[in-house]
Amino acid sequence: MNSTLPLEPLVKAPQRMVKKRVYQFWDQVSIYLPVLLMGLLALASYWLLRATPIPEVPPAERELVHEPDYRMRRFSVKVFDANGRIKSEVYGAEGRHYPDTDTLEIDKARIRNYSPEGLLTTATAQRVTSNGDNTEFVLEGDAIVVRQAGKNAAGKRLPRLEFHGEYLRVLTKWDMLASDQPVLLIRDNDQMRADSMVYRGDRQAAMLKGRVKVQMQPR
Protein backbone atom coordinates (compact mmCIF):
# COMPACT_ATOMS: atom_id res chain seq x y z
CA MET A 1 0.00 0.00 0.00
CA ASN A 2 1.54 3.26 -1.06
CA SER A 3 1.31 6.34 1.12
CA THR A 4 2.03 9.94 0.09
CA LEU A 5 3.39 12.52 2.59
CA PRO A 6 2.12 16.06 2.33
CA LEU A 7 4.68 18.41 0.63
CA GLU A 8 3.63 21.69 2.28
CA PRO A 9 5.24 21.01 5.70
CA LEU A 10 8.44 19.95 3.94
CA VAL A 11 8.58 23.18 1.89
CA LYS A 12 7.80 25.49 4.81
CA ALA A 13 10.48 24.00 7.08
CA PRO A 14 13.47 25.36 5.04
CA GLN A 15 11.76 28.75 4.70
CA ARG A 16 11.41 29.02 8.45
CA MET A 17 15.07 28.13 8.83
CA VAL A 18 16.11 30.87 6.35
CA LYS A 19 13.95 33.48 8.09
CA LYS A 20 15.36 32.48 11.43
CA ARG A 21 18.93 32.87 10.16
CA VAL A 22 18.07 36.25 8.59
CA TYR A 23 16.63 37.47 11.89
CA GLN A 24 19.69 36.24 13.73
CA PHE A 25 21.94 38.04 11.21
CA TRP A 26 20.12 41.33 11.63
CA ASP A 27 20.19 40.90 15.40
CA GLN A 28 23.96 40.59 15.23
CA VAL A 29 24.23 43.52 12.83
CA SER A 30 22.00 45.72 15.00
CA ILE A 31 24.37 45.13 17.93
CA TYR A 32 27.39 46.43 16.01
CA LEU A 33 25.51 49.02 13.88
CA PRO A 34 26.34 52.02 16.18
CA VAL A 35 30.00 51.04 16.11
CA LEU A 36 29.91 50.82 12.30
CA LEU A 37 28.19 54.20 12.03
CA MET A 38 30.78 55.82 14.31
CA GLY A 39 33.54 54.35 12.19
CA LEU A 40 31.95 55.68 9.00
CA LEU A 41 31.58 59.14 10.56
CA ALA A 42 35.22 59.10 11.62
CA LEU A 43 36.32 58.12 8.12
CA ALA A 44 34.12 60.85 6.61
CA SER A 45 35.56 63.48 8.98
CA TYR A 46 39.10 62.38 8.16
CA TRP A 47 38.36 62.60 4.44
CA LEU A 48 36.91 66.10 4.83
CA LEU A 49 39.98 67.27 6.73
CA ARG A 50 42.25 65.88 4.01
CA ALA A 51 40.14 67.45 1.27
CA THR A 52 39.81 70.89 2.89
CA PRO A 53 42.71 73.20 1.88
CA ILE A 54 44.81 74.55 4.74
CA PRO A 55 44.47 78.35 4.98
CA GLU A 56 47.67 80.18 4.16
CA VAL A 57 49.35 81.88 7.08
CA PRO A 58 49.89 85.57 6.25
CA PRO A 59 53.58 86.35 6.03
CA ALA A 60 55.03 88.27 8.93
CA GLU A 61 55.61 91.95 8.27
CA ARG A 62 59.18 92.64 7.35
CA GLU A 63 60.94 94.71 9.95
CA LEU A 64 62.34 97.90 8.50
CA VAL A 65 66.08 98.27 8.83
CA HIS A 66 68.15 101.42 8.53
CA GLU A 67 69.18 100.85 4.93
CA PRO A 68 68.52 103.17 1.96
CA ASP A 69 65.82 102.11 -0.47
CA TYR A 70 67.15 104.42 -3.21
CA ARG A 71 70.19 106.58 -3.94
CA MET A 72 70.92 109.62 -6.08
CA ARG A 73 74.31 110.83 -7.27
CA ARG A 74 75.27 114.30 -8.44
CA PHE A 75 71.68 115.42 -8.52
CA SER A 76 69.94 118.77 -8.59
CA VAL A 77 66.28 119.41 -7.77
CA LYS A 78 64.57 122.74 -8.53
CA VAL A 79 61.12 123.92 -7.46
CA PHE A 80 59.29 126.73 -9.29
CA ASP A 81 56.23 128.76 -8.37
CA ALA A 82 53.11 129.24 -10.49
CA ASN A 83 54.76 132.14 -12.36
CA GLY A 84 57.82 130.11 -13.28
CA ARG A 85 60.13 131.76 -10.73
CA ILE A 86 62.48 129.49 -8.88
CA LYS A 87 61.58 128.91 -5.22
CA SER A 88 64.29 126.53 -4.14
CA GLU A 89 67.14 124.39 -5.43
CA VAL A 90 68.95 121.48 -3.80
CA TYR A 91 72.21 120.05 -5.07
CA GLY A 92 74.07 117.08 -3.62
CA ALA A 93 76.98 114.82 -4.44
CA GLU A 94 74.95 111.85 -3.19
CA GLY A 95 71.53 111.38 -1.60
CA ARG A 96 70.11 108.42 0.31
CA HIS A 97 66.54 107.84 1.49
CA TYR A 98 65.89 105.70 4.59
CA PRO A 99 62.34 104.30 4.75
CA ASP A 100 62.48 103.32 8.45
CA THR A 101 62.89 106.97 9.51
CA ASP A 102 61.59 108.58 6.29
CA THR A 103 64.67 110.79 6.14
CA LEU A 104 66.88 111.94 3.28
CA GLU A 105 70.63 112.32 3.72
CA ILE A 106 72.57 114.51 1.27
CA ASP A 107 76.35 114.61 1.09
CA LYS A 108 78.10 117.89 0.19
CA ALA A 109 74.77 119.65 0.00
CA ARG A 110 74.06 123.14 -1.35
CA ILE A 111 70.61 124.61 -0.83
CA ARG A 112 69.10 127.85 -2.14
CA ASN A 113 65.70 129.10 -1.04
CA TYR A 114 63.73 132.28 -1.87
CA SER A 115 61.17 133.68 0.56
CA PRO A 116 57.85 135.14 -0.70
CA GLU A 117 59.51 138.58 -0.42
CA GLY A 118 62.37 137.39 -2.63
CA LEU A 119 65.01 137.10 0.12
CA LEU A 120 67.64 134.50 -0.74
CA THR A 121 68.85 132.05 1.89
CA THR A 122 71.67 129.61 1.13
CA ALA A 123 72.92 126.66 3.15
CA THR A 124 75.94 124.39 2.70
CA ALA A 125 77.24 121.48 4.76
CA GLN A 126 79.14 118.24 4.42
CA ARG A 127 75.87 116.46 5.20
CA VAL A 128 72.26 117.59 5.38
CA THR A 129 69.48 115.38 6.77
CA SER A 130 65.83 116.29 6.20
CA ASN A 131 62.62 114.70 7.47
CA GLY A 132 59.75 113.43 5.32
CA ASP A 133 57.75 116.69 5.13
CA ASN A 134 60.84 118.94 4.79
CA THR A 135 60.12 120.89 7.97
CA GLU A 136 63.39 120.01 9.70
CA PHE A 137 66.95 120.12 8.35
CA VAL A 138 70.09 119.08 10.23
CA LEU A 139 73.37 120.44 8.84
CA GLU A 140 76.59 118.74 9.96
CA GLY A 141 80.21 119.49 9.12
CA ASP A 142 81.26 123.01 8.04
CA ALA A 143 77.64 124.11 8.19
CA ILE A 144 76.89 127.63 6.94
CA VAL A 145 73.51 129.33 6.56
CA VAL A 146 73.38 132.80 4.98
CA ARG A 147 70.33 135.02 4.58
CA GLN A 148 70.92 137.98 2.32
CA ALA A 149 69.91 141.49 3.41
CA GLY A 150 66.58 142.80 2.17
CA LYS A 151 63.13 143.95 3.27
CA ASN A 152 60.23 142.04 4.72
CA ALA A 153 56.57 142.30 3.69
CA ALA A 154 56.14 145.44 5.82
CA GLY A 155 59.08 147.16 4.14
CA LYS A 156 61.37 146.92 7.14
CA ARG A 157 65.04 146.37 6.41
CA LEU A 158 66.42 142.99 7.38
CA PRO A 159 70.18 142.70 7.99
CA ARG A 160 72.40 140.09 6.43
CA LEU A 161 72.73 137.06 8.72
CA GLU A 162 75.33 134.31 8.72
CA PHE A 163 75.37 131.21 10.94
CA HIS A 164 78.52 129.05 11.15
CA GLY A 165 78.99 125.84 13.07
CA GLU A 166 79.62 122.11 12.95
CA TYR A 167 75.98 121.43 13.76
CA LEU A 168 72.96 123.57 12.81
CA ARG A 169 69.31 122.56 13.06
CA VAL A 170 66.74 124.44 11.00
CA LEU A 171 63.01 124.22 11.76
CA THR A 172 61.13 125.86 8.91
CA LYS A 173 57.70 125.52 10.59
CA TRP A 174 58.74 127.93 13.37
CA ASP A 175 61.32 129.88 11.34
CA MET A 176 63.91 128.74 13.87
CA LEU A 177 67.61 127.90 13.75
CA ALA A 178 69.25 126.23 16.75
CA SER A 179 72.50 124.56 17.76
CA ASP A 180 73.69 122.88 20.96
CA GLN A 181 77.31 123.20 19.81
CA PRO A 182 79.60 126.23 19.38
CA VAL A 183 78.24 128.62 16.79
CA LEU A 184 79.19 131.93 15.19
CA LEU A 185 76.48 134.47 14.29
CA ILE A 186 77.38 137.38 12.01
CA ARG A 187 74.82 140.19 11.75
CA ASP A 188 75.96 142.70 9.13
CA ASN A 189 79.41 143.53 10.58
CA ASP A 190 78.74 142.37 14.15
CA GLN A 191 79.94 138.97 15.38
CA MET A 192 78.64 136.85 18.25
CA ARG A 193 80.02 133.53 19.46
CA ALA A 194 78.41 131.17 21.93
CA ASP A 195 78.42 127.55 23.07
CA SER A 196 74.78 127.17 21.96
CA MET A 197 72.15 129.32 20.32
CA VAL A 198 68.47 129.56 19.41
CA TYR A 199 67.45 132.09 16.74
CA ARG A 200 63.81 132.99 16.03
CA GLY A 201 63.33 134.57 12.62
CA ASP A 202 59.78 135.69 13.34
CA ARG A 203 61.06 137.71 16.31
CA GLN A 204 64.43 138.70 14.85
CA ALA A 205 65.98 137.62 18.14
CA ALA A 206 68.81 135.27 19.14
CA MET A 207 69.32 133.63 22.54
CA LEU A 208 73.00 132.83 23.20
CA LYS A 209 74.16 130.50 25.99
CA GLY A 210 77.47 129.40 27.49
CA ARG A 211 80.64 131.36 26.83
CA VAL A 212 79.38 134.32 24.82
CA LYS A 213 81.68 136.71 23.00
CA VAL A 214 80.30 139.72 21.15
CA GLN A 215 82.18 142.03 18.79
CA MET A 216 80.17 145.11 17.82
CA GLN A 217 81.20 147.52 15.09
CA PRO A 218 80.51 151.26 15.59
CA ARG A 219 77.55 152.52 13.67
Side-chain angles (χ1 to χ4, degrees), residues 2-15:
N2 296 328
S3 62
T4 304
L5 296 175
L7 296 178
E8 184 175 354
L10 297 177
V11 173
K12 290 183 177 181
Q15 292 179 353

Side-chain angles (χ1 to χ4, degrees), residues 135-139 145 168-173 176-178:
T135 58
E136 180 177 350
F137 296 85
V138 176
L139 290 71
V145 176
L168 299 175
R169 183 179 176 212
V170 180
L171 303 174
T172 60
K173 186 176 181 179
M176 180 187 298
L177 188 147

Side-chain angles (χ1 to χ4, degrees), residues 138-212:
V138 176
L139 290 71
E140 299 175 280
D142 298 326
I144 302 175
V145 176
V146 178
R147 190 200 68 189
Q148 300 295 335
K151 295 182 179 181
N152 60 14
K156 181 181 177 179
R157 180 185 179 276
L158 299 176
R160 173 186 170 92
L161 293 177
E162 294 185 29
F163 302 88
H164 298 254
E166 288 299 310
Y167 176 89
L168 299 175
R169 183 179 176 212
V170 180
L171 303 174
T172 60
K173 186 176 181 179
W174 294 280
D175 193 12
M176 180 187 298
L177 188 147
S179 178
D180 58 1
Q181 299 182 22
V183 62
L184 167 64
L185 169 59
I186 302 176
R187 182 180 184 273
D188 285 340
N189 295 321
D190 301 332
Q191 296 188 11
M192 290 165 275
R193 297 179 183 272
D195 291 336
S196 64
M197 180 201 66
V198 175
Y199 174 81
R200 292 290 300 266
D202 56 344
R203 301 175 183 176
Q204 297 294 307
M207 182 171 61
L208 308 175
K209 294 183 179 181
R211 293 171 297 178
V212 178

Side-chain angles (χ1 to χ4, degrees), residues 25 55 85 102:
F25 172 77
R85 294 174 298 189
D102 192 19

Side-chain angles (χ1 to χ4, degrees), residues 26 28-39:
W26 282 113
Q28 295 293 328
V29 171
S30 63
I31 294 174
Y32 296 102
L33 184 60
V35 178
L36 293 175
L37 290 177
M38 293 295 294

Side-chain angles (χ1 to χ4, degrees), residues 92-126:
E94 181 176 325
R96 298 170 298 276
H97 179 261
Y98 294 90
D100 59 328
T101 56
D102 192 19
T103 54
L104 178 65
E105 288 184 356
I106 305 173
D107 295 338
K108 299 185 183 305
R110 297 200 305 266
I111 302 173
R112 296 169 52 198
N113 183 77
Y114 289 91
S115 69
E117 295 80 24
L119 295 178
L120 173 63
T121 300
T122 61
T124 58
Q126 293 298 316

